[in-house]
Amino acid sequence: MQEIIQVELFKNSEAVLKKAVHLSPSYQAAMKNAQLNFKILGIPSKKSEDWKYTNIAKNLSPRFYEQKVSLNQDVPKLIIDKRGMIIFNNGIFNQFLSVLPEGCELESPELTSDFYDTFDTLNFAVAISPLTLKIKKNTTLDFPITIVHLIDETAVNKMVSPRLTIKVEDHAQVSFLEYFTSSNNSTLQYTTNAVTHFFLKQNSKVEHVKIQLEAQSAIHIGLTNANVARDASFQSITLDFGILTSRHNLNIDLNDTGAITSAHGLFVLKKLDHADIFSTISHKLPQTTSDQLFKGILGGESHGVFTGKILILKDAQKSASSQLNKNLILSKKAHIDTRPQLLVHADDVKCSHGATVGQLSKEEEFYLESRGISAERAKKMLCLGFAMDVLQKIENSSIKLMAEKLLLDNFQGNDFEI
């Protein structure tokens, strides 16, 4: 089955390329090269160490969405501030609804032959609407830019492939909320293969909050990649509220002295949900710093996976890195696989990592119930308290308020059972 899907994906990617006449000849040539690389790499199987807990080929859509954006689209919900919004409909950039704030401008699509993995390669091979956004030097925005990925019924049983590159110039500061959702989260079935690249120049600062709110039967594969320069800061928060299968790849390169990153995340899973977070942070030069906190709440027969790789190269002396993964198991049939990994090649560093798996505290449940709170509500309150540690890491107050509301709605929904 996997080989059949792989052949179909390659054949259909060739059909997409034939229609990409609006892109430059050099970009089309790069897409062709990516297609050939995908043919060689193929779809990863559970035999691969990086994918051993996730069977990603099982429900992939073998066809690609390649239609134009309709002019009849409405502004999606969850837009924090209409002064800054980037909208993708079924993976295609919607220039008619998007609004760029002052200090931001579009550039020509970025050519590349250097890919993170096979899905990054496949994304480049078929992303017919790649977008490159530049945040100009010294730009500081006091409101977040919302990036919306909205899927509708025309993309059912297809793969959507949004590709976004964000270049942040020297001394610029900006926050992004990027969320993925659909027009009908209870019925639609499709695959999202999304790539978001950040390039931070000297002394710039970026906060990126990614929220997965896709249709329950969807497959989500997402890469967030960041290259962080001298004295720049990249903060990443990943929130996953559970779908059939999701895989979040987070890759951060601290490329120069003083580069800082904090990468945090939370998944809340129920029923048969599956979420896989694969994080890699590379310290390449001295005095770089990273901090990670990832949490999981698992109910029903859900399965969560966390892999956290910290790589400190020989030249990255006096660097500091900490990583913690904590998981709350609500059901006997829920399961978590956690793999914190330290790969240290320098001898003058400060590093720590840890992982915990536990259940709700009976003493805390009893305390709340003794105050007249129902057993179900007491458990949800404790789950909320466990999760809020991650949400409190969000610096932008508008994004934090929205994330808190989404988390509350998730716990209060009928699908969330303890």
Side-chain angles (χ1 to χ4, degrees):
M1 177 62 73
Q2 179 170 319
E3 293 180 357
I4 294 174
I5 294 175
Q6 182 174 321
V7 170
E8 284 296 305
L9 284 171
F10 179 75
K11 181 179 70 174
N12 292 333
S13 71
E14 291 183 310
V16 171
L17 179 57
K18 290 180 181 179
K19 299 179 181 179
V21 294
H22 60 289
L23 295 169
S24 68
S26 59
Y27 200 92
Q28 293 180 56
M31 291 175 67
K32 180 64 177 180
N33 181 61
Q35 287 177 3
L36 297 175
N37 285 340
F38 171 74
K39 187 176 183 180
I40 295 171
L41 294 172
I43 302 172
S45 69
K46 296 183 75 173
K47 293 180 181 179
S48 169
E49 184 66 23
D50 291 350
W51 290 85
K52 65 183 297 184
Y53 298 114
T54 301
N55 183 3
I56 199 62
K58 184 178 180 181
N59 296 295
L60 286 178
S61 303
R63 296 183 297 155
F64 300 101
Y65 184 90
E66 49 187 299
Q67 301 177 28
K68 294 182 179 180
V69 171
S70 170
L71 297 178
N72 298 321
Q73 299 286 350
D74 296 323
V75 175
K77 298 178 181 179
L78 302 182
I79 296 291
I80 293 181
D81 195 307
K82 292 184 179 180
R83 291 175 294 174
M85 52 185 185
I86 299 171
I87 298 173
F88 288 85
N89 292 110
N90 300 322
I92 308 298
F93 173 59
N94 189 330
Q95 60 179 323
F96 308 105
L97 290 182
S98 299
V99 177
L100 298 182
E102 186 176 352
C104 305
E105 63 182 19
L106 298 182
E107 291 191 339
S108 299
E110 289 283 307
L111 290 173
T112 185
S113 58
D114 183 20
F115 300 104
Y116 172 80
D117 68 355
T118 186
F119 286 106
D120 185 16
T121 303
L122 180 61
N123 173 278
F124 188 91
V126 298
I128 59 175
S129 184
L131 184 66
T132 298
L133 174 68
K134 183 173 79 172
I135 312 298
K136 296 180 181 179
K137 184 177 180 180
N138 296 322
T139 298
T140 299
L141 298 182
D142 58 2
F143 57 89
I145 296 177
T146 307
I147 305 169
V148 182
H149 300 271
L150 179 63
I151 314 300
D152 62 33
E153 61 277 359
T154 62
V156 168
N157 296 325
K158 296 177 182 177
M159 181 180 293
V160 300
S161 307
R163 188 175 190 89
L164 176 61
T165 300
I166 300 175
K167 299 191 293 187
V168 186
E169 297 289 293
D170 297 351
H171 307 284
Q173 295 187 31
V174 62
S175 294
F176 294 94
L177 167 64
E178 183 175 26
Y179 74 89
F180 297 79
T181 190
S182 77
S183 59
N184 192 327
N185 278 5
S186 61
T187 62
L188 298 187
Q189 186 174 15
Y190 55 89
T191 298
T192 294
N193 180 25
V195 173
T196 304
H197 284 291
F198 289 93
F199 293 91
L200 280 68
K201 290 193 176 180
Q202 184 171 335
N203 206 38
S204 61
K205 183 177 182 181
V206 170
E207 179 176 42
H208 176 243
V209 180
K210 175 185 176 181
I211 301 180
Q212 187 284 111
L213 288 169
E214 304 252 34
Q216 185 58 45
S217 298
I219 307 297
H220 178 94
I221 306 165
L223 167 63
T224 301
N225 185 80
N227 286 270
V228 188
R230 178 182 291 267
D231 298 324
S233 172
F234 180 73
Q235 176 162 333
S236 168
I237 309 282
T238 303
L239 305 178
D240 188 318
F241 293 106
I243 55 172
L244 179 63
T245 304
S246 65
R247 166 73 175 221
H248 302 278
N249 293 313
L250 177 64
N251 186 69
I252 302 173
D253 291 333
L254 303 176
N255 293 325
D256 208 340
T257 301
I260 297 173
T261 188
S262 57
H264 311 300
L266 168 73
F267 51 68
V268 182
L269 309 181
K270 54 194 177 297
K271 296 184 177 179
L272 296 173
D273 292 346
H274 179 98
D276 185 342
I277 294 179
F278 197 102
S279 167
T280 305
I281 298 179
S282 300
H283 295 250
K284 295 186 175 182
L285 284 180
Q287 299 177 15
T288 50
T289 305
S290 67
D291 176 44
Q292 291 180 282
L293 173 64
F294 284 88
K295 287 192 171 186
I297 300 175
L298 301 93
E301 298 180 44
S302 63
H303 183 198
V305 183
F306 172 74
T307 302
K309 287 186 177 181
I310 298 173
L311 173 63
I312 301 183
L313 299 181
K314 184 178 180 180
D315 292 335
Q317 302 291 343
K318 299 187 182 301
S319 293
S321 180
S322 64
Q323 180 190 94
L324 180 60
N325 176 227
K326 302 179 72 173
N327 300 281
L328 191 60
I329 305 296
L330 306 178
S331 165
K332 292 182 178 179
K333 294 185 178 181
H335 182 67
I336 181 72
D337 290 291
T338 177
R339 299 186 297 173
Q341 301 176 7
L342 281 176
L343 303 173
V344 181
H345 302 285
D347 53 17
D348 186 8
V349 298
K350 294 181 180 179
C351 296
S352 65
H353 69 90
T356 65
V357 180
Q359 299 174 331
L360 291 173
S361 167
K362 296 298 182 182
E363 291 79 8
E364 292 175 347
E365 289 184 55
F366 176 77
Y367 176 83
L368 292 175
E369 290 174 33
S370 68
R371 296 308 190 265
I373 299 173
S374 68
E376 180 180 2
R377 187 183 176 198
K379 291 177 180 178
K380 289 184 177 181
M381 288 175 64
L382 292 172
C383 289
L384 181 62
F386 178 83
M388 286 300 291
D389 282 352
V390 174
L391 271 62
Q392 291 301 315
K393 302 286 188 180
I394 301 174
E395 292 185 2
N396 184 277
S397 58
S398 299
I399 299 178
K400 184 185 296 184
L401 285 173
M402 178 175 288
E404 290 175 353
K405 182 182 183 303
L406 292 173
L407 182 64
L408 284 169
D409 291 345
N410 183 273
F411 283 141
Q412 294 170 0
N414 295 327
D415 289 339
F416 188 80
E417 299 178 358
I418 300 178

